[in-house]
Amino acid sequence: EAVVSTQSTGELKSSMIAFYSDREKCSLFLKLIGGKEEVLHLSGPDHMLESLCGYLFQITCGSFFQVNTAGAEVLYRTIRETAALDKQTVLLDVCCGTGTIGIILSEHVKQVHGIEIVESAVEDAKKNAARNNIANITFHAGNAKFAVPRVINSIRKSTDTRIVAIVDPPRSGVHADVIACLRKNEMIAEVIYVSCDIKQITDNIVSLCCPTSNRYLGDPFRFQSCVAVDLFPHTKRFEVIFHFKR
């Protein structure tokens, strides 16, 4: 890290562009830290495209995307099998990011609602859905604790409607308010929780299953199963898929 003036920033940008000018398929970004954090696109395409499970995804700078594509396909297939999705299922993709899980599973369910707090990721998700001609998916920008009740109220329900929430948060898990929201909305029959660090999400898991209280209203979920997927070969890390039902 270095402190640079506006003038030296301009010189740095010029020197970086010149240095990488002969590289093919090179996208160049400069991240400025200190004060207002800013990412500048200097040259090359501002995004890349990646194929996953037969779908094409746009990935922009700063977007999260699994780097092990083959492993990610196993992960998403296992999520689908664990949730036993069908055409009566309405899927809530909580912490949906750029829409990867919801888009891949959309063909197996009645409807998908993706919820994500990062607005730029939601814009990418909408573009990815359009790119793949997905018609039964809607994305919502906002905090999950406010968005989930609003989405559930908008769903046209029938006696056969089954609402399943898939939660695939950052490593540290989700805020306790989000767990409380999932508990309170009893139309959510099942939760699939995906984590790459089970130590950090212990509180989330306990809160999903703890007895009803003033903090956690609604019937508790009950643990059904968990499956580990080796997404990071030759390391101690792995993804775990937890399955909970009311």
Side-chain angles (χ1 to χ4, degrees):
E1 295 184 12
V3 178
V4 295
S5 65
T6 302
Q7 180 178 356
S8 57
T9 299
E11 295 173 353
L12 178 61
K13 289 162 59 177
S14 298
S15 64
M16 290 177 65
I17 292 171
F19 183 82
Y20 288 100
S21 61
D22 61 343
R23 310 290 178 93
E24 294 184 4
K25 299 181 180 180
C26 177
S27 295
L28 190 59
F29 295 85
L30 174 62
K31 184 174 184 178
L32 302 178
I33 301 174
K36 182 181 179 181
E37 190 171 294
E38 187 177 5
V39 177
L40 305 176
H41 174 225
L42 303 185
S43 66
D46 64 355
H47 68 274
M48 63 176 290
L49 297 177
E50 180 68 86
S51 177
L52 185 63
C53 295
Y55 295 91
L56 201 60
F57 292 92
Q58 172 177 308
I59 309 168
T60 56
C61 180
S63 297
F64 174 81
F65 200 85
Q66 297 286 3
V67 296
N68 181 351
T69 304
E73 291 184 341
V74 174
L75 176 69
Y76 299 143
R77 183 171 65 247
T78 307
I79 290 173
R80 174 174 60 82
E81 294 169 351
T82 301
L85 303 175
D86 58 35
K87 289 299 183 179
Q88 298 302 322
T89 303
V90 175
L91 189 65
L92 301 183
D93 185 5
V94 183
C95 305
C96 71
T98 56
T100 310
I101 292 178
I103 289 171
I104 290 172
L105 299 182
S106 62
E107 64 177 301
H108 304 285
V109 300
K110 179 180 180 180
Q111 191 176 14
V112 179
H113 290 275
I115 299 168
E116 172 59 50
I117 197 169
V118 180
E119 293 188 10
S120 60
V122 172
E123 292 305 311
D124 281 345
K126 291 177 179 178
K127 292 176 182 177
N128 286 329
R131 185 185 301 277
N132 291 283
N133 299 312
I134 308 298
N136 64 335
I137 192 166
T138 306
F139 293 102
H140 310 265
N143 190 310
K145 71 176 181 179
F146 301 120
V148 167
R150 185 169 65 248
V151 169
I152 289 178
N153 289 335
S154 73
I155 295 172
R156 297 181 61 182
K157 306 173 186 70
S158 68
T159 55
D160 297 326
T161 300
R162 169 176 171 253
I163 300 179
V164 176
I166 293 181
V167 183
D168 185 14
R171 182 170 296 172
S172 58
V174 295
H175 192 279
D177 287 347
V178 176
I179 299 297
C181 176
L182 296 176
R183 284 282 302 264
K184 184 178 180 180
N185 287 275
E186 296 202 28
M187 282 294 295
I188 301 174
E190 299 180 42
V191 170
I192 305 294
Y193 196 117
V194 185
S195 173
C196 65
D197 192 336
I198 58 177
K199 289 183 178 179
Q200 294 201 49
I201 53 97
T202 302
D203 287 347
N204 282 179
I205 300 303
V206 171
S207 299
L208 278 172
C209 302
C210 68
T212 303
S213 64
N214 290 335
R215 179 70 175 99
Y216 296 105
L217 304 175
D219 291 338
F221 289 91
R222 295 184 181 275
F223 172 79
Q224 301 296 307
S225 65
C226 65
V227 181
V229 178
D230 187 12
L231 205 66
F232 317 104
H234 310 296
T235 75
K236 296 181 179 180
R237 297 287 183 186
F238 47 86
E239 294 275 352
V240 179
I241 303 166
F242 292 91
H243 183 201
F244 302 92
K245 283 185 178 181
R246 297 273 190 186

